[in-house]
Amino acid sequence: MEIHKTDFLIIGSGIAGLSLALKLKDLGEVTILTKKRAFDTATALAQGGIACVQSEDNHFDLHIKDTLIAGDGLCKPEVVELVVKSAPERIKELIDWGVEFDRDPKNPQRFHLTLEGGHSRKRILHVGDYTGRAIERVLIERALHSPNILILENHLAVDLLLERNCSSKPCRVVGALVLDLIHSQVKIFVAEVIALCTGGAGKVYLYTSNPDTATGDGIALAYHAGVTIANMEFFQFHPTCLYHPKAKNFLISEALRGEGGILLNPEGKPFMHKYDPVRKELAPRDIVTRAIDMELKQSGGECVYLDITHLPSDYIKKRFPYIYETCLKFGIDITKDPIPVVPAAHYLCGGILTNIWGQTDIPNLFAIGECACTGLHGANRLASNSLLEALVFSHQAYLKIKEIYQDFKDNYNHLPKIKEPEVKEIKEEKIFISHNWDLIRKIMWDLVGIVRSIKMLEFAYKRIIFIKKEIESTWEGIYLDLDLMELKNITTVAELIVRSALSRKESRGTHYLLDFPEKSKEFERDTLIKG
Ligand code: SIN
């Protein structure tokens, strides 16, 4: 088996992985693995922007307060403070790397700041309505021009390798078993430090704003390596994804509500005043999502509508060019017509448990970005805090790695003995795999969605375990089939979400349980599952 040595192994090529690589390159050789193309990330789809205190009418305390309110009692205050106060420095770094945020047309010295749900002040920097794409481009470009960074596409990490004969826990991670999907080959990558930056897991649900790559790979890898996973019950549903039979995963940014967009029920009437009389459309996401869910259940309608036709047509086209063009392709002119929208799975607030340095239970294994649970988001993430979290924690991780990486220089000598795994081919029809994909996603959408009950969760759990056992017995080992390898990961993630949801007997943030509709003092703590 080919063994590749690198100083730092980063799995994932979104904002977390790339920004970490751009820092670590000065300490040693960095290898970034990505299972598809480098650009196929959730970062590249992010529309809204990055929250950062910039103007005089704003203050760190207000951003901290808004984050804590959205997080519904479960954020770690020290993490929130760190992230909010580090934001200006991290944004400056992004600008130095080449990201050009929109400027205020009246005062080009200043950034154009926008508003989203849960924010008490305008504090979101953006690049039109394609902020993530603009950032991803700049970071990839810089990484490609850095001699110390190697990006390997079509490489899927299938297992983390822990040190041989580890007697005292926690054991160190020494490398990863990686499937090269182009050359049908399993390789070993040995590294001093590994960082999981694999993004979210929206594909576990039938409807999602996430890219096809969001299959919770990092969480499954960490869980199977014995690492603690936290708060998986808190899956955030974005209130407004485009409702159209041909539109796949297309988000209608919360920034439209920030610009005064009004939600209308299927009868064409505003309804948010009934659910949150003060904040209305700009209430935190969990509240808006449940309000839409309720309106749809009561009316039997298929979608609600988001109306921004009060804004001048030219302004809409300039401010939201990507959304305007995409909707137009589906026959919807957003300058004239309300946009049909439905909620969809958007962001996993839980994930691999880390400390304030992005470090997991294993001292040389880090998790950054959506795959991590740092304590910033609590039970419900505040809009536009996700790209920010990735930036702040890649910096935190860099500081810690700089301090410890020399201790793991001898990792090669700790490699466990591994028999070369066979790369198997699928013998039967692929329908068995796609059917299980559909089943998991439908079970999760129908039974583990916006509104849950113990009965629904128990029903879902039995079915997921049945599918898991069937997959394990039918397709044990490594297959040259990305769909199958991802199916294994979404099944693990689905199981973790349901187990966590079953153990939290209260309603908080994005986790709403009909049997326990109130918050409980007893549950003001993380839900932990050790792999
Ligand atoms: C959006 O543009 O509505 C998404 C922003 C986010 O998820 O924070």
Side-chain angles (χ1 to χ4, degrees), residues 35 198-203 213-221 348 489-490 493:
K35 64 180 172 179
T198 50
K203 292 298 283 187
T213 47
T215 51
D217 305 344
I219 296 169
L221 282 171
L348 179 56
N489 291 341
I490 62 160
V493 171

Side-chain angles (χ1 to χ4, degrees), residues 8 56 65 82 89 140 158 233 256 280-281 385 416 517:
F8 309 110
E56 292 104 39
K65 192 169 159 214
L82 167 84
E89 211 177 317
I140 288 186
V158 291
E233 66 274 36
L256 273 77
K280 297 181 193 150
E281 272 74 6
N385 265 355

Side-chain angles (χ1 to χ4, degrees), residues 153-186:
E153 298 186 323
N154 303 300
H155 278 67
L156 174 76
V158 291
D159 222 346
L160 294 175
L161 300 172
L162 300 183
E163 68 183 293
R164 183 180 63 221
N165 304 332
C166 167
S167 50
S168 62
K169 299 249 164 168
C171 303
R172 62 171 85 179
V173 64
V174 291
L177 213 55
V178 175
L179 174 61
D180 175 341
L181 289 153
I182 301 293
H183 300 101
S184 326
Q185 210 186 344
V186 179

Side-chain angles (χ1 to χ4, degrees), residues 293-366:
D293 188 62
M294 181 65 91
E295 290 292 316
L296 292 179
K297 282 184 176 141
Q298 277 173 358
S299 65
E302 291 184 335
C303 64
V304 296
Y305 297 88
L306 180 58
D307 190 356
I308 51 154
T309 54
H310 67 285
L311 291 172
S313 165
D314 285 349
Y315 181 73
I316 294 177
K317 290 180 196 165
K318 193 152 180 292
R319 173 69 184 86
F320 302 111
Y322 180 41
I323 296 174
Y324 171 74
E325 291 294 340
T326 307
C327 288
L328 208 55
K329 278 191 210 141
F330 294 113
I332 305 157
D333 181 347
I334 68 169
T335 65
K336 296 196 182 103
D337 308 315
I339 311 164
V341 290
V342 282
H346 182 60
Y347 191 89
L348 179 56
C349 302
I352 306 160
L353 184 70
T354 74
N355 63 16
I356 201 129
W357 304 105
Q359 214 171 9
T360 70
D361 295 347
I362 297 179
N364 63 335
L365 179 69
F366 290 73

Side-chain angles (χ1 to χ4, degrees), residues 54-119:
Q54 291 277 339
S55 58
E56 292 104 39
D57 69 331
N58 213 321
H59 195 272
F60 287 137
D61 287 349
L62 293 173
H63 188 183
I64 290 173
K65 192 169 159 214
D66 293 345
T67 303
L68 293 172
I69 291 173
D72 213 3
L74 216 66
C75 302
K76 294 195 173 120
E78 68 283 9
V79 174
V80 177
E81 187 174 340
L82 167 84
V83 172
V84 166
K85 291 191 173 167
S86 310
E89 211 177 317
R90 298 283 71 82
I91 293 292
K92 185 178 172 307
E93 193 167 51
L94 216 45
I95 293 166
D96 291 344
W97 280 335
V99 176
E100 292 180 12
F101 290 104
D102 283 8
R103 300 267 165 183
D104 182 346
K106 290 191 204 111
N107 183 356
Q109 301 297 320
R110 292 177 179 277
F111 294 110
H112 181 262
L113 300 175
T114 193
L115 198 60
E116 288 183 26
H119 288 272

Side-chain angles (χ1 to χ4, degrees), residues 100-309:
E100 292 180 12
F101 290 104
D102 283 8
R103 300 267 165 183
D104 182 346
K106 290 191 204 111
N107 183 356
Q109 301 297 320
R110 292 177 179 277
F111 294 110
H112 181 262
L113 300 175
T114 193
L115 198 60
E116 288 183 26
H119 288 272
S120 58
R121 294 286 189 281
K122 288 190 175 189
R123 62 168 78 94
I124 295 154
L125 288 99
H126 63 98
V127 184
D129 57 355
Y130 49 89
T131 312
R133 193 164 77 206
I135 294 173
E136 182 81 9
R137 270 204 190 126
V138 165
L139 298 184
I140 288 186
E141 197 59 28
R142 281 195 92 84
L144 289 174
H145 285 97
S146 303
N148 244 5
I149 300 178
L150 174 68
I151 302 182
L152 293 175
E153 298 186 323
N154 303 300
H155 278 67
L156 174 76
V158 291
D159 222 346
L160 294 175
L161 300 172
L162 300 183
E163 68 183 293
R164 183 180 63 221
N165 304 332
C166 167
S167 50
S168 62
K169 299 249 164 168
C171 303
R172 62 171 85 179
V173 64
V174 291
L177 213 55
V178 175
L179 174 61
D180 175 341
L181 289 153
I182 301 293
H183 300 101
S184 326
Q185 210 186 344
V186 179
K187 303 170 178 172
I188 290 178
F189 282 77
V190 183
E192 285 142 39
V193 169
I194 298 187
L196 300 169
C197 305
T198 50
K203 292 298 283 187
V204 79
Y205 285 98
L206 190 56
Y207 302 110
T208 177
S209 62
N210 291 185
D212 289 346
T213 47
T215 51
D217 305 344
I219 296 169
L221 282 171
Y223 175 68
H224 294 308
V227 170
T228 305
I229 310 293
N231 294 353
M232 294 292 284
E233 66 274 36
F234 296 115
F235 212 112
Q236 182 177 74
F237 291 80
H238 194 291
T240 58
C241 278
L242 182 61
Y243 178 74
H244 188 281
K246 296 225 166 87
K248 191 183 165 199
N249 312 346
F250 191 68
L251 191 74
I252 304 295
S253 174
E254 206 157 297
L256 273 77
R257 277 177 282 133
E259 297 274 353
I262 301 286
L263 284 165
L264 306 172
N265 65 16
E267 286 100 56
K269 298 207 176 86
F271 57 87
M272 272 316 297
H273 59 279
K274 292 190 279 177
Y275 300 91
D276 199 308
V278 178
R279 295 172 293 184
K280 297 181 193 150
E281 272 74 6
L282 288 175
R285 254 175 219 175
D286 54 334
I287 295 171
V288 182
T289 295
R290 273 195 299 278
I292 296 176
D293 188 62
M294 181 65 91
E295 290 292 316
L296 292 179
K297 282 184 176 141
Q298 277 173 358
S299 65
E302 291 184 335
C303 64
V304 296
Y305 297 88
L306 180 58
D307 190 356
I308 51 154
T309 54

Side-chain angles (χ1 to χ4, degrees), residues 447-474:
L447 306 170
V448 197
I450 298 163
V451 174
R452 305 163 175 178
S453 74
I454 298 284
K455 197 171 166 193
M456 287 191 235
L457 293 175
E458 284 173 346
F459 192 68
Y461 184 67
K462 278 194 221 143
R463 268 144 191 77
I464 289 163
I465 295 302
F466 178 82
I467 297 170
K468 176 181 149 174
K469 289 194 175 141
E470 188 191 66
I471 293 170
E472 278 169 0
S473 60
T474 318

